[in-house]
């Protein structure tokens, strides 16, 4: 079975950077698309960034210009580089992959940004 596992979360100061990783037990390129989501306490889960198997990317307006989604074939890993972090970026971040009509989710990793 395909498994996704996130890592790289933590606590940083405003303006700092973090890189989240999402490793797949199977080939990450078997997914037709992958994305990063986040959910803050009391709020709905929101889509942060997506990347198709062909490499096309999209970002939420709130993170465009600060976050970058990418993948590494050799490491079989999806990344989310987060720069110039803001307090409002604080949330649990999860990665997900779409394979046909089924979605696979990771367990999530906490990102906390303080002033």
């Amino acid at each position: 079975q395909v498994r996704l596992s996130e890592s790289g979360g933590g606590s940083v100061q405003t303006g700092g950077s973090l890189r989240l990783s999402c490793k797949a037990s199977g080939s990450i390129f078997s997914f037709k698309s992958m994305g990063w989501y986040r959910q803050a306490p009391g709020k709905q889960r929101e889509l942060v960034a997506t990347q198709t198997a062909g490499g096309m990317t999209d970002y939420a307006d709130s993170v465009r210009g600060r976050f970058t989604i990418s993948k590494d074939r050799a490491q079989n890993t999806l990344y989310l580089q987060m720069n110039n972090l803001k307090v409002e970026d604080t949330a649990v971040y999860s990665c997900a992959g779409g394979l046909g009509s089924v979605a696979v989710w990771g367990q999530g990793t906490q990102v906390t940004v303080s002033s």
Side-chain angles (χ1 to χ4, degrees), residues 26-90:
S27 175
I28 207 164
F29 294 92
S30 66
F31 295 107
K32 72 175 183 179
S33 65
M34 297 193 73
W36 286 97
Y37 297 76
R38 68 185 182 187
Q39 186 170 26
K43 296 184 178 180
Q44 296 291 320
R45 180 172 294 174
E46 66 172 335
L47 180 63
V48 176
T50 60
Q51 185 173 49
T52 67
M56 296 182 62
T57 60
D58 196 17
Y59 299 90
D61 290 342
S62 60
V63 307
R64 186 174 289 109
R66 299 188 297 119
F67 291 10
T68 303
I69 187 172
S70 63
K71 59 182 180 290
D72 186 281
R73 176 180 290 273
Q75 297 296 317
N76 198 35
T77 301
L78 181 77
Y79 296 104
L80 183 67
Q81 178 66 47
M82 305 185 294
N83 297 326
N84 192 25
L85 284 162
K86 304 175 180 180
V87 172
E88 51 263 42
D89 294 319
T90 296

